[in-house]
């Protein structure tokens, strides 16, 4: 599988020749480029005379090998390293600020299978690099111009575990009601896909007084099933929830930034509804404060605005629950870095992605399944409902996900232009491909190009599964008629 390069880092399968996967040569090349461009992102180190970078990894089988290469390259470039070892992605992001570091590198391929690994690059704020910063690193890496430090300038390595710091920060949030969760006496089943979720999630649940039945919680990287937290991959979790008479099933991906729930009856809560539920809980809290104070909800949201954000391919249910309480909703292009940029610009209270990614800026600007779990359990405890009952309180939508494979990448722009023309009278958003919204039918369809293949991804949503499927199929028929394929 070819090495995939993007503004947020590089990813590929382990093994093979340089450029054909994530090889040691590619790792050294990109880490060197990251180091060489540090002064552009931060003119001088936060502390002392040397830059400092945090390195954390998930539990993939290749993780230790890649970590050794990353740490060795950083020190060879004269950069000090804070090695935090096995850690979730949000823990690594927060460790950058905890350690007063100048950046961070996360070694994880997120939801991709076990043969994959990746480098994800962070700035001094613990957030993913901007598009422009990422492009600078890609350009530097392509030049193969190396300059390493002399023997007296080699970086130093210290090791530290920031798991408890992360948990302390989550439990200190006023929105996390640990007392209510303890009183609820929840029993949950946790599927941590044999990665770092098996370390941090049981500790979170223990501190919240939640009984935890562990499933796939050995952090050895031997994934028990496809690691993406989709219903088709969580049948074992569903069966165990029912068999254990648990209140909830919790699934996280290998780096613990995505979160999905299974209801007490074994049915999916819905990955899209992870964010919807957390957002609804936060806006309900604001609404109660506003009613008690006689102030509009916008004022009681300070220091954040009564705003939610997600990407264009996420459910409109987030918009519905936000507007129900008098808040405002904004959409961004697909990609976490785009969502966080929109959240910064709107001073959003809550945001994330429909893939189970919850971003709560009162903690940090990054998808965080640990925070998402604590907020969701707070909501469930306050509602005194079963998970299946809670799900029924939210607007019900269905998403269909399709892809159109093309023989020629040049056809992509032609198809997008055809869709724009065909739906010119509807509400169009051209931020990221083409999104067509049908307000009367409360439905939409979103087309966007793949960054790595001659593919158009087609997501559609409607109040019924049949309507969502037909929206997507209609676009495919339109495209095929246009290109004669």
């Amino acid at each position: 599988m070819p090495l995939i390069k993007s503004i947020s880092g590089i990813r590929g399968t382990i093994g093979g020749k340089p450029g054909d996967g994530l090889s040691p040569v590619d790792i050294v090349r990109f880490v060197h480029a990251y180091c060489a461009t540090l002064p552009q992102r931060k003119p001088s180190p936060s502390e002392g005379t040397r830059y400092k970078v945090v390195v954390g990894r998930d539990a993939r089988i290749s993780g230790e090998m890649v970590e050794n290469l990353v740490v060795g390259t950083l020190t060879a470039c004269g950069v000090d390293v804070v090695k935090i070892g096995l850690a979730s992605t949000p823990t690594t992001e927060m460790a950058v600020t905890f350690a007063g570091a100048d950046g961070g590198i996360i070694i994880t391929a997120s939801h991709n299978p076990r043969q994959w690994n990746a480098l994800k690059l962070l700035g001094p704020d613990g957030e993913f690099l901007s598009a422009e910063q990422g492009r600078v690193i890609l350009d530097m890496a392509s030049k193969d111009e190396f300059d390493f430090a002399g023997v007296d300038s080699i970086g130093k390595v210290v090791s530290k575990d920031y798991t408890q710091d992360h948990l302390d920060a989550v439990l200190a949030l006023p929105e996390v009601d640990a007392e209510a969760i303890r009183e609820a006496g929840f029993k949950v089943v946790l599927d941590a896909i044999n990665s770092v979720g098996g370390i941090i999630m049981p500790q979170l649940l223990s501190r919240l007084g939640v009984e935890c039945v562990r499933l796939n919680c050995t952090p050895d990287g031997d994934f028990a099933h496809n690691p993406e937290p989709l219903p088709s991959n969580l049948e074992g979790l569903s069966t165990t929830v029912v068999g254990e008479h648990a209140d909830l099933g919790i699934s996280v991906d290998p780096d613990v930034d995505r979160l999905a729930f299974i209801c007490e009856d074994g049915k999916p809560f819905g990955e899209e509804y992870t964010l919807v539920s957390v957002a609804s809980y936060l806006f309900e809290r604001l609404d109660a404060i506003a009613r008690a104070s006689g102030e509009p909800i916008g004022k009681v949201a300070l220091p954040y605005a009564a705003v939610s954000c997600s990407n264009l391919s996420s459910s409109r249910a987030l918009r519905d629950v936000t507007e129900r309480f008098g808040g405002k909703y904004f959409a961004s292009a697909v990609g976490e870095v785009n969502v966080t940029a929109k959240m910064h610009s709107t001073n959003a209270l809550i945001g994330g992605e429909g893939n189970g990614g919850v971003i709560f800026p009162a903690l940090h600007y990054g998808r965080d399944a640990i925070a998402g779990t604590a907020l969701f359990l707070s909501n469930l405890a306050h509602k005194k409902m079963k998970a299946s009952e809670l799900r029924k309180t939210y607007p019900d939508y269905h998403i269909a996900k399709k892809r159109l494979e093309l023989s020629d990448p040049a056809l992509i722009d032609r198809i997008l232009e055809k869709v724009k023309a065909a739906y010119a009278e509807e509400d169009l958003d051209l931020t990221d491909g083409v999104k067509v919204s049908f307000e009367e039918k409360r439905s939409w369809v979103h087309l966007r190009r793949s960054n790595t293949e001659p593919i158009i991804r087609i997501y559609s949503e409607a109040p019924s599964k049949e309507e969502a499927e037909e929206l997507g199929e209609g676009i495919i028929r339109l495209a095929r008629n246009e290109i004669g394929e």
Side-chain angles (χ1 to χ4, degrees):
M1 182 72 182
L3 184 70
I4 298 173
K5 308 170 187 176
S6 71
I7 57 172
S8 60
I10 58 171
R11 62 187 169 98
T13 52
I14 297 297
K17 299 177 181 178
D20 287 342
L22 190 65
S23 74
V25 174
D26 296 302
I27 293 167
V28 171
R29 179 183 293 125
F30 277 85
V31 174
H32 177 273
Y34 177 82
C35 294
T37 55
L38 270 169
Q40 297 180 36
R41 297 186 295 279
K42 206 162 187 296
S44 59
S46 297
E47 303 172 357
T49 58
R50 282 202 295 254
Y51 286 102
K52 180 165 59 176
V53 171
V54 170
V55 177
R57 66 179 178 92
D58 70 15
R60 287 169 187 274
I61 294 169
S62 62
E64 186 174 7
M65 179 271 288
V66 177
E67 177 188 62
N68 289 337
L69 287 162
V70 169
V71 171
T73 305
L74 286 167
T75 56
C77 290
V79 173
D80 288 341
V81 175
V82 181
K83 188 169 74 168
I84 67 173
L86 292 172
S88 74
T89 281
T91 303
T92 308
E93 292 169 346
M94 295 188 71
V96 172
T97 55
F98 288 150
D102 304 296
I105 297 178
I106 310 170
I107 303 167
T108 175
S110 190
H111 62 274
N112 292 110
R114 67 203 294 274
Q115 68 268 31
W116 288 78
N117 216 327
L119 307 183
K120 296 183 178 182
L121 311 177
L122 304 173
D125 52 6
E127 297 177 33
F128 290 115
L129 302 183
S130 69
E132 181 54 35
Q133 291 170 334
R135 278 191 285 270
V136 170
I137 290 174
L138 289 174
D139 180 62
M140 173 70 72
S142 68
K143 294 178 180 178
D144 273 355
E145 297 175 355
F146 298 101
D147 185 12
F148 293 104
V151 66
D152 295 320
S153 300
I154 294 172
K156 309 294 183 184
V157 180
V158 297
S159 297
K160 183 166 183 180
D161 186 343
Y162 282 97
T163 301
Q164 295 308 316
D165 300 79
H166 186 179
L167 291 173
D168 289 345
V170 169
L171 295 173
L173 292 169
E175 296 82 2
V176 173
D177 194 338
E179 183 177 351
I181 295 171
R182 291 189 189 97
E183 289 179 356
F186 291 128
K187 178 180 181 180
V188 307
V189 181
L190 168 68
D191 184 348
I193 195 64
N194 289 333
S195 191
V196 292
I199 299 173
I200 192 169
M201 291 294 291
Q203 294 186 56
L204 169 72
L205 295 168
S206 175
R207 292 181 66 172
L208 289 171
V210 176
E211 180 182 352
C212 177
V213 178
R214 303 187 190 193
L215 187 66
N216 305 319
C217 284
T218 303
D220 59 11
D222 188 10
F223 301 154
H225 53 76
N226 185 307
E228 190 164 12
L230 300 176
S232 58
N233 300 326
L234 301 178
E235 294 178 357
L237 176 59
S238 296
T239 300
T240 307
V241 167
V242 174
E244 290 284 344
H245 304 288
D247 299 293
L248 190 69
I250 301 175
S251 171
V252 294
D253 66 340
D255 67 326
V256 207
D257 63 353
R258 289 175 59 179
L259 176 65
F261 298 111
I262 299 294
C263 297
E264 81 290 341
D265 58 5
K267 296 179 180 178
F269 190 84
E271 193 181 27
E272 290 282 339
Y273 284 83
T274 299
L275 174 59
V276 173
S277 177
V278 169
S280 180
Y281 167 66
L282 295 173
F283 278 106
E284 284 171 6
R285 291 182 82 257
L286 288 183
D287 184 61
I289 296 170
R291 290 177 184 276
S293 66
E295 295 282 358
I297 195 170
K299 286 192 176 181
V300 300
L302 296 175
Y304 298 97
V307 166
S308 69
C309 297
S310 63
N311 67 47
L312 288 166
S313 284
S314 295
S315 176
R316 71 168 285 156
L318 178 62
R319 169 184 160 184
D320 287 358
V321 299
T322 300
E323 293 178 348
R324 178 190 298 171
F325 295 103
K328 295 182 179 179
Y329 167 79
F330 294 91
S332 77
V334 173
E336 182 177 346
V337 67
N338 297 316
V339 177
T340 56
K342 180 65 72 174
M343 292 178 69
H344 276 296
S345 68
T346 60
N347 197 29
L349 171 72
I350 185 68
E353 297 181 292
N355 61 9
V358 175
I359 303 172
F360 189 41
L363 183 67
H364 70 119
Y365 280 92
R367 295 183 302 183
D368 191 323
I370 297 92
T373 297
L375 293 168
F376 183 90
L377 289 175
S378 297
N379 188 23
L380 197 60
H382 282 196
K383 292 292 196 315
K384 301 184 186 304
M385 294 178 175
K386 294 180 179 180
S388 61
E389 295 171 339
L390 178 64
R391 173 63 180 81
K392 292 176 182 177
T393 66
Y394 304 125
D396 198 23
Y397 293 105
H398 300 265
I399 286 185
K401 300 181 180 181
K402 303 180 183 298
R403 49 192 270 165
L404 180 61
E405 299 184 12
L406 302 166
S407 58
D408 182 358
L411 294 173
I412 293 177
D413 287 334
R414 184 173 156 187
I415 291 172
L416 295 180
E417 289 299 323
K418 179 65 176 180
V419 172
K420 283 163 51 178
Y423 294 99
E425 300 302 315
E426 303 293 345
D427 180 13
L428 296 180
D429 190 320
L430 308 179
T431 303
D432 183 7
V434 179
K435 182 173 182 177
V436 187
S437 296
F438 308 92
E439 285 303 311
E440 287 188 10
K441 297 180 179 179
R442 301 178 68 78
S443 59
W444 54 263
V445 61
H446 183 207
L447 295 78
R448 56 186 295 269
R449 70 175 67 237
S450 166
N451 294 325
T452 58
E453 304 170 272
I455 288 172
I456 297 180
R457 303 191 188 281
I458 303 171
Y459 286 17
S460 52
E461 183 181 59
S464 74
K465 182 179 179 180
E466 294 74 20
E467 291 175 280
E469 291 286 345
E470 177 53 32
L471 267 177
E473 290 296 336
I475 292 293
I476 290 175
R477 288 195 298 270
L478 179 66
R480 295 205 182 283
N481 286 338
E482 170 65 17
I483 61 178
E485 290 191 357

